[in-house]
Amino acid sequence: MQFEVIAKCHTTRARVCRMKLAHGVTMLPTFMPVATQAAIKGLTPQQVESLGITLILNNTYHLNLRPGIKVLDEVGGAHKFQGWNRNLLTDSGGFQLVSLSKFTNITEDGALFASPFNGEPTMLTPEESISIQHSIGADIIMQLDDVVSSLTVGPRVGEAMHRSVRWLDRCIEQHEKSGRKDKQNLFAIVQGGLDPTLRDLCLDAMIERKDQVTGYAIGGLSGGEEKEVFWKIIKQCADRLPSDRPRYSMGVGFAEDLLVCVALGVDMADCVFPTRTARFGVALTFKGPLNLKLGKHTKSMETIDKNCPCPTCASGMSRAVLHHIVTIETAGAHALTIHNLVFQAQVMGGARDAILEGRFPEYLRSFFFDYFGDTGYPEWCVNALRSVGVDLMQGVDVPLVQGSGVKWEYSDAA
């Protein structure tokens, strides 16, 4: 990896970086669409690449089950298997310790899974996770970490954090003896739940191993915790992680979350949200989500967003026809998936441009006013951005909204 910080925001901790990997350059900050099983649902790799996306995510656990490492080894890795020519990151399988917890037993050796497909036991150790990711051939590979739900409290959180550090050492050893360090880049994952003391202990340990990893992820969040706690943990980690390494916040996908994380110093994020929400008939826009299942769109010949460059909007596809086919015809999910991925790319691309041009605080104020001005600013966003010198409330008359403040259309009256 060649990693270079190109520009920094004069107010916040946001920055623009150039990350060169084996399959090309990815500019940061960026959002990574999730192709869990070697496909972004509804799109071909060529369509994804045509949208300007240069980095996607595959999942180690799922690709190990199907098609399996034997197939991946025979075809020369996941890039060739799925026809993807740009950069690829693989999650280690650690998240499945939470999402498939009823099938999982954790020991110091690793995680024993019962396959959700046929019930067969599968042992995923740190060494095995790295070996599978070597077969996948991802440009960025993640350590196997012991992940617990972000709402977990008590001694299990500390146990998981300390085990994640020990597992990192095993991942490093396996990666270093593989001879693949020049092709694949290992990231550490900071754990510690919602406990700042545990987070600091984990940061201490992982920063000590800086020379043996190429980047860092902030894990164990986006699991239902209060947003006021979420941003403080992100800030705590981003403030301390080395400036000459990429910083990746795992599982973040809402536009407001992305921009807060960028302002706090995060470079990369991923989430299934934009593609999954497309399949539920929701288009993401700079005015907020647009629920195309609602009857008010029945006769609307407007596009989703007249200023959007995505193929769905540029072709003139109307809200009326999307309302007619969405969640019924696959073409509807396909059209909304394309639009939502371009929206995410526009949010992050706009952030990069604003940082480069020295106007990132103004970009934040403009985005939040357009997105939340009619309903109220989420208080946690205001607090988070104030912590890095940007006051969204300055010069505007917008109410504060308690809680997550997530904007959504539930009815035609919305």
Side-chain angles (χ1 to χ4, degrees), residues 17 32 161 252 344 350:
C17 306
M32 298 178 285
M161 182 276 289
V252 174
Q344 299 289 94

Side-chain angles (χ1 to χ4, degrees), residues 234-374:
I234 292 288
K235 186 176 192 303
Q236 176 187 1
C237 296
D239 281 352
R240 291 198 54 199
L241 288 172
S243 62
D244 61 347
R245 297 288 192 276
R247 306 169 188 142
Y248 163 27
S249 183
M250 308 179 83
V252 174
F254 291 173
E256 63 270 28
D257 296 19
L258 290 172
L259 289 181
V260 166
C261 285
V262 169
L264 297 177
V266 167
D267 305 307
M268 304 159 58
D270 79 285
C271 192
V272 299
F273 169 68
T275 48
R276 179 175 290 169
T277 203
R279 299 193 297 276
F280 286 105
V282 176
L284 306 177
T285 82
F286 286 94
K287 297 292 185 181
L290 196 67
N291 186 348
L292 290 161
K293 292 180 294 184
L294 298 180
K296 65 182 179 181
H297 302 297
T298 303
K299 300 177 182 179
S300 174
M301 295 308 292
E302 288 183 79
T303 59
I304 297 169
D305 181 350
K306 65 182 180 180
N307 297 315
C308 177
C310 83
T312 302
C313 293
S315 68
M317 198 169 192
S318 69
R319 297 182 186 187
V321 73
L322 288 167
H323 168 78
H324 179 65
I325 66 174
V326 77
T327 72
I328 299 171
E329 301 289 347
T330 56
H334 170 97
L336 288 187
T337 298
I338 287 175
H339 169 82
N340 285 357
L341 290 182
V342 170
F343 171 79
Q344 299 289 94
Q346 283 188 289
V347 169
M348 298 301 259
R352 290 195 301 272
D353 290 345
I355 296 165
L356 288 167
E357 295 166 10
R359 53 176 182 83
F360 185 60
E362 291 75 20
Y363 177 74
L364 291 171
R365 291 189 185 98
S366 175
F367 173 86
F368 277 89
F369 186 78
D370 289 344
Y371 201 87
F372 289 109
D374 60 339

Side-chain angles (χ1 to χ4, degrees), residues 176-237:
E176 288 186 340
K177 70 183 184 184
S178 71
R180 301 186 65 87
K181 286 185 66 177
D182 60 330
K183 299 185 182 101
Q184 295 181 272
N185 301 275
L186 176 62
F187 278 33
I189 304 176
V190 180
Q191 291 290 352
L194 307 182
D195 185 329
T197 301
L198 290 178
R199 287 282 175 175
D200 270 336
L201 288 171
C202 194
L203 284 160
D204 289 341
M206 302 220 164
I207 292 169
E208 284 178 9
R209 292 153 175 80
K210 175 187 169 184
D211 291 341
Q212 296 163 294
V213 298
T214 16
Y216 292 91
I218 304 168
L221 295 174
S222 301
E225 72 278 359
E226 292 182 6
K227 290 292 190 177
E228 193 69 27
V229 177
F230 163 81
W231 78 258
K232 289 177 180 177
I233 295 293
I234 292 288
K235 186 176 192 303
Q236 176 187 1
C237 296

